[in-house]
Amino acid sequence: MAERRMFAKTIIDSDAFLEMPLTTQALYFHLSMRADDDGFVNNPKRILRLIGSSEDDMKVLLAKSFLIPFESGIVVIKHWKMHNYIQKDRYKPTLYTDERNALELTKQGVYETLDTGCIQDGYKMDTQDRLGKDRLELGENTVSKKESKPQNGCGEIINSYTDNEELRTALWEFIKMRKLIKKPMTDRALKGIFNKLDKLGRSDGEKIAILDQSIQNSWQGIFELKEPYEEPEQHREIDWDNLPF
Protein backbone atom coordinates (compact mmCIF):
# COMPACT_ATOMS: atom_id res chain seq x y z
CA MET A 1 0.00 0.00 0.00
CA ALA A 2 1.24 3.47 -0.85
CA GLU A 3 2.42 5.49 2.17
CA ARG A 4 1.98 9.03 0.90
CA ARG A 5 -1.36 10.79 0.75
CA MET A 6 -2.31 13.99 -1.09
CA PHE A 7 -5.18 16.45 -0.76
CA ALA A 8 -6.86 18.39 -3.56
CA LYS A 9 -7.10 22.13 -2.84
CA THR A 10 -10.42 22.10 -4.68
CA ILE A 11 -11.85 20.19 -1.73
CA ILE A 12 -9.97 21.46 1.31
CA ASP A 13 -10.21 25.13 0.22
CA SER A 14 -13.95 24.93 -0.39
CA ASP A 15 -16.33 26.90 1.85
CA ALA A 16 -18.07 23.66 2.80
CA PHE A 17 -14.80 22.29 4.20
CA LEU A 18 -13.42 25.46 5.79
CA GLU A 19 -16.71 26.22 7.56
CA MET A 20 -16.43 23.00 9.53
CA PRO A 21 -14.89 23.10 13.02
CA LEU A 22 -11.12 22.58 13.12
CA THR A 23 -11.60 19.34 15.04
CA THR A 24 -13.80 18.05 12.21
CA GLN A 25 -11.22 19.06 9.61
CA ALA A 26 -8.51 17.30 11.63
CA LEU A 27 -10.58 14.11 11.75
CA TYR A 28 -10.96 14.22 7.96
CA PHE A 29 -7.20 14.52 7.49
CA HIS A 30 -6.48 11.68 9.92
CA LEU A 31 -9.04 9.39 8.27
CA SER A 32 -7.58 10.18 4.85
CA MET A 33 -4.03 9.46 6.01
CA ARG A 34 -5.08 6.02 7.28
CA ALA A 35 -7.33 5.05 4.35
CA ASP A 36 -6.35 2.22 2.03
CA ASP A 37 -5.45 2.82 -1.62
CA ASP A 38 -9.12 3.06 -2.60
CA GLY A 39 -10.02 5.45 0.23
CA PHE A 40 -11.70 2.97 2.61
CA VAL A 41 -11.27 3.14 6.39
CA ASN A 42 -12.30 0.13 8.48
CA ASN A 43 -11.73 1.64 11.93
CA PRO A 44 -13.10 5.21 11.90
CA LYS A 45 -14.33 5.07 15.50
CA ARG A 46 -10.91 4.02 16.75
CA ILE A 47 -9.23 6.87 14.86
CA LEU A 48 -11.86 9.26 16.24
CA ARG A 49 -11.02 8.24 19.81
CA LEU A 50 -7.27 8.17 19.12
CA ILE A 51 -7.09 11.84 18.13
CA GLY A 52 -9.63 13.05 20.69
CA SER A 53 -12.36 14.05 18.24
CA SER A 54 -16.02 13.81 19.18
CA GLU A 55 -18.74 11.79 17.53
CA ASP A 56 -20.28 15.11 16.50
CA ASP A 57 -17.24 15.63 14.25
CA MET A 58 -18.01 12.36 12.49
CA LYS A 59 -21.65 13.37 12.15
CA VAL A 60 -20.62 16.63 10.48
CA LEU A 61 -18.42 14.84 7.92
CA LEU A 62 -21.27 12.49 7.12
CA ALA A 63 -23.85 15.26 6.97
CA LYS A 64 -21.71 17.32 4.59
CA SER A 65 -21.00 14.23 2.46
CA PHE A 66 -17.24 14.21 2.85
CA LEU A 67 -17.58 10.56 3.88
CA ILE A 68 -19.84 7.78 2.61
CA PRO A 69 -20.88 5.32 5.35
CA PHE A 70 -21.73 1.63 5.13
CA GLU A 71 -23.78 -0.65 7.33
CA SER A 72 -20.57 -2.55 8.19
CA GLY A 73 -19.16 0.54 9.95
CA ILE A 74 -16.61 1.13 7.19
CA VAL A 75 -16.45 4.59 5.63
CA VAL A 76 -14.91 5.80 2.36
CA ILE A 77 -13.47 9.21 1.54
CA LYS A 78 -15.91 10.48 -1.09
CA HIS A 79 -13.38 12.60 -3.02
CA TRP A 80 -10.54 10.10 -2.66
CA LYS A 81 -9.77 9.81 -6.38
CA MET A 82 -9.65 13.60 -6.66
CA HIS A 83 -7.09 13.67 -3.86
CA ASN A 84 -4.90 10.75 -4.84
CA TYR A 85 -3.47 9.09 -7.92
CA ILE A 86 -1.49 5.98 -7.04
CA GLN A 87 0.83 4.32 -9.54
CA LYS A 88 -0.09 0.78 -10.51
CA ASP A 89 3.12 -0.72 -9.10
CA ARG A 90 2.26 0.73 -5.67
CA TYR A 91 -1.52 0.35 -5.77
CA LYS A 92 -3.15 -2.33 -3.62
CA PRO A 93 -6.91 -2.83 -4.19
CA THR A 94 -9.20 -2.53 -1.19
CA LEU A 95 -10.19 -5.64 0.73
CA TYR A 96 -13.73 -4.31 1.15
CA THR A 97 -15.15 -5.50 -2.17
CA ASP A 98 -18.81 -5.47 -1.10
CA GLU A 99 -18.58 -1.82 -0.14
CA ARG A 100 -16.59 -0.96 -3.30
CA ASN A 101 -19.17 -2.72 -5.47
CA ALA A 102 -21.88 -0.56 -3.91
CA LEU A 103 -20.24 2.55 -5.38
CA GLU A 104 -19.66 4.04 -8.78
CA LEU A 105 -16.92 6.50 -9.68
CA THR A 106 -17.93 9.63 -11.59
CA LYS A 107 -15.82 11.14 -14.34
CA GLN A 108 -14.74 13.81 -11.85
CA GLY A 109 -13.31 11.13 -9.55
CA VAL A 110 -16.05 11.25 -6.92
CA TYR A 111 -17.58 8.18 -5.32
CA GLU A 112 -21.37 7.96 -5.48
CA THR A 113 -23.64 5.29 -4.01
CA LEU A 114 -25.72 3.32 -6.45
CA ASP A 115 -29.26 4.68 -6.38
CA THR A 116 -30.98 1.32 -6.04
CA GLY A 117 -33.19 1.80 -3.02
CA CYS A 118 -31.53 -1.13 -1.26
CA ILE A 119 -28.18 0.36 -0.24
CA GLN A 120 -27.81 1.21 3.41
CA ASP A 121 -27.29 4.91 3.93
CA GLY A 122 -26.55 4.95 7.62
CA TYR A 123 -23.59 4.81 9.92
CA LYS A 124 -23.56 2.38 12.83
CA MET A 125 -22.05 3.93 15.90
CA ASP A 126 -22.54 2.44 19.38
CA THR A 127 -26.13 1.98 20.53
CA GLN A 128 -25.56 4.80 23.00
CA ASP A 129 -24.49 7.15 20.18
CA ARG A 130 -26.70 10.22 20.27
CA LEU A 131 -26.09 13.87 19.57
CA GLY A 132 -26.38 15.99 22.65
CA LYS A 133 -28.59 18.41 20.75
CA ASP A 134 -31.64 17.73 18.62
CA ARG A 135 -30.15 19.79 15.80
CA LEU A 136 -26.57 20.45 14.75
CA GLU A 137 -25.98 23.90 13.31
CA LEU A 138 -23.51 24.12 10.40
CA GLY A 139 -23.44 27.78 9.42
CA GLU A 140 -26.35 28.18 7.02
CA ASN A 141 -26.92 24.43 6.90
CA THR A 142 -28.87 22.56 9.55
CA VAL A 143 -28.76 18.83 10.06
CA SER A 144 -31.78 17.33 11.76
CA LYS A 145 -31.38 14.45 14.15
CA LYS A 146 -33.45 11.56 12.81
CA GLU A 147 -34.39 8.29 14.44
CA SER A 148 -34.78 5.54 11.91
CA LYS A 149 -34.63 1.79 11.83
CA PRO A 150 -31.75 0.22 9.96
CA GLN A 151 -32.60 -1.02 6.48
CA ASN A 152 -31.22 -4.00 4.64
CA GLY A 153 -28.56 -3.20 2.07
CA CYS A 154 -27.94 -4.80 -1.28
CA GLY A 155 -24.78 -6.36 0.11
CA GLU A 156 -26.70 -8.15 2.84
CA ILE A 157 -29.32 -9.40 0.38
CA ILE A 158 -26.71 -10.61 -2.12
CA ASN A 159 -24.57 -12.24 0.55
CA SER A 160 -27.57 -14.16 1.87
CA TYR A 161 -28.25 -15.45 -1.66
CA THR A 162 -24.79 -16.81 -2.52
CA ASP A 163 -21.31 -17.39 -1.12
CA ASN A 164 -19.79 -17.41 -4.62
CA GLU A 165 -17.69 -14.26 -4.93
CA GLU A 166 -17.81 -14.27 -8.76
CA LEU A 167 -21.60 -14.53 -8.72
CA ARG A 168 -21.82 -11.69 -6.18
CA THR A 169 -19.66 -9.51 -8.42
CA ALA A 170 -21.84 -10.32 -11.45
CA LEU A 171 -24.94 -9.33 -9.47
CA TRP A 172 -23.36 -5.99 -8.50
CA GLU A 173 -22.42 -5.34 -12.12
CA PHE A 174 -26.02 -6.07 -13.14
CA ILE A 175 -27.26 -3.58 -10.52
CA LYS A 176 -24.83 -0.93 -11.83
CA MET A 177 -26.00 -1.53 -15.39
CA ARG A 178 -29.64 -1.13 -14.33
CA LYS A 179 -28.79 2.24 -12.81
CA LEU A 180 -27.00 3.35 -15.97
CA ILE A 181 -30.09 2.59 -18.08
CA LYS A 182 -32.23 4.54 -15.58
CA LYS A 183 -33.92 1.41 -14.21
CA PRO A 184 -32.60 1.18 -10.63
CA MET A 185 -33.56 -1.89 -8.66
CA THR A 186 -35.51 -2.21 -5.42
CA ASP A 187 -35.05 -4.96 -2.83
CA ARG A 188 -38.09 -6.72 -4.23
CA ALA A 189 -36.84 -6.56 -7.82
CA LEU A 190 -33.46 -7.96 -6.78
CA LYS A 191 -35.07 -10.90 -5.02
CA GLY A 192 -37.13 -11.48 -8.16
CA ILE A 193 -33.89 -11.72 -10.13
CA PHE A 194 -32.67 -14.36 -7.68
CA ASN A 195 -35.81 -16.44 -8.23
CA LYS A 196 -35.48 -16.24 -12.00
CA LEU A 197 -31.77 -17.06 -11.86
CA ASP A 198 -32.57 -20.20 -9.88
CA LYS A 199 -35.00 -21.27 -12.59
CA LEU A 200 -32.75 -20.48 -15.56
CA GLY A 201 -29.33 -21.45 -14.21
CA ARG A 202 -28.35 -24.94 -13.19
CA SER A 203 -25.04 -23.79 -11.69
CA ASP A 204 -23.35 -20.63 -10.46
CA GLY A 205 -21.34 -20.53 -13.67
CA GLU A 206 -24.47 -20.54 -15.80
CA LYS A 207 -26.06 -17.85 -13.61
CA ILE A 208 -22.99 -15.65 -14.11
CA ALA A 209 -23.21 -16.19 -17.88
CA ILE A 210 -26.90 -15.22 -17.82
CA LEU A 211 -26.13 -12.02 -15.92
CA ASP A 212 -23.20 -11.21 -18.23
CA GLN A 213 -25.50 -11.63 -21.24
CA SER A 214 -27.91 -9.02 -19.88
CA ILE A 215 -25.09 -6.66 -18.82
CA GLN A 216 -23.47 -6.75 -22.27
CA ASN A 217 -26.80 -6.07 -23.98
CA SER A 218 -28.09 -3.57 -21.38
CA TRP A 219 -31.20 -5.69 -20.84
CA GLN A 220 -33.44 -4.79 -17.94
CA GLY A 221 -34.26 -8.46 -17.26
CA ILE A 222 -32.48 -11.79 -17.45
CA PHE A 223 -33.18 -14.47 -20.04
CA GLU A 224 -32.19 -17.96 -21.07
CA LEU A 225 -28.81 -18.13 -22.77
CA LYS A 226 -28.89 -18.01 -26.55
CA GLU A 227 -26.47 -20.93 -26.74
CA PRO A 228 -26.26 -23.96 -24.42
CA TYR A 229 -23.96 -23.38 -21.48
CA GLU A 230 -20.99 -25.67 -21.06
CA GLU A 231 -19.30 -25.92 -17.70
CA PRO A 232 -15.52 -25.39 -17.88
CA GLU A 233 -13.54 -28.59 -17.49
CA GLN A 234 -12.25 -29.19 -13.99
CA HIS A 235 -8.68 -30.36 -13.52
CA ARG A 236 -8.73 -33.81 -12.05
CA GLU A 237 -6.38 -34.62 -9.20
CA ILE A 238 -3.88 -37.36 -10.01
CA ASP A 239 -3.86 -40.35 -7.71
CA TRP A 240 -0.12 -40.89 -7.66
CA ASP A 241 -0.39 -44.03 -5.51
CA ASN A 242 -2.46 -45.92 -8.11
CA LEU A 243 -0.59 -45.07 -11.30
CA PRO A 244 0.13 -48.20 -13.45
CA PHE A 245 3.89 -47.77 -13.38
Side-chain angles (χ1 to χ4, degrees), residues 57-67 136 138 142-143:
D57 291 319
M58 181 69 76
K59 295 284 188 181
V60 174
L61 290 175
L62 294 169
K64 287 210 165 188
S65 298
F66 285 102
L67 301 177
L136 178 62
L138 301 174
T142 303
V143 180

Side-chain angles (χ1 to χ4, degrees), residues 1-4 37 86-93:
M1 184 172 74
E3 291 294 323
R4 296 182 179 180
D37 287 352
I86 300 173
Q87 296 179 355
K88 290 183 178 180
D89 59 337
R90 298 182 179 180
Y91 168 70
K92 185 177 180 181

Side-chain angles (χ1 to χ4, degrees), residues 133-147:
K133 298 174 287 184
D134 285 343
R135 301 176 75 81
L136 178 62
E137 300 295 335
L138 301 174
E140 296 180 357
N141 300 321
T142 303
V143 180
S144 297
K145 175 185 173 184
K146 296 181 180 178
E147 298 290 341

Side-chain angles (χ1 to χ4, degrees), residues 7 11-34 47 51 53-54 56-62 64 66-67 77 83 138:
F7 296 93
I11 303 302
I12 63 172
D13 277 354
S14 66
D15 286 343
F17 188 86
L18 294 175
E19 286 175 356
M20 295 191 300
L22 290 178
T23 53
T24 306
Q25 296 179 35
L27 177 59
Y28 181 81
F29 286 125
H30 277 276
L31 291 170
S32 299
M33 290 302 299
R34 291 167 172 81
I47 294 170
I51 68 171
S53 290
S54 69
D56 282 8
D57 291 319
M58 181 69 76
K59 295 284 188 181
V60 174
L61 290 175
L62 294 169
K64 287 210 165 188
F66 285 102
L67 301 177
I77 311 299
H83 289 314
L138 301 174

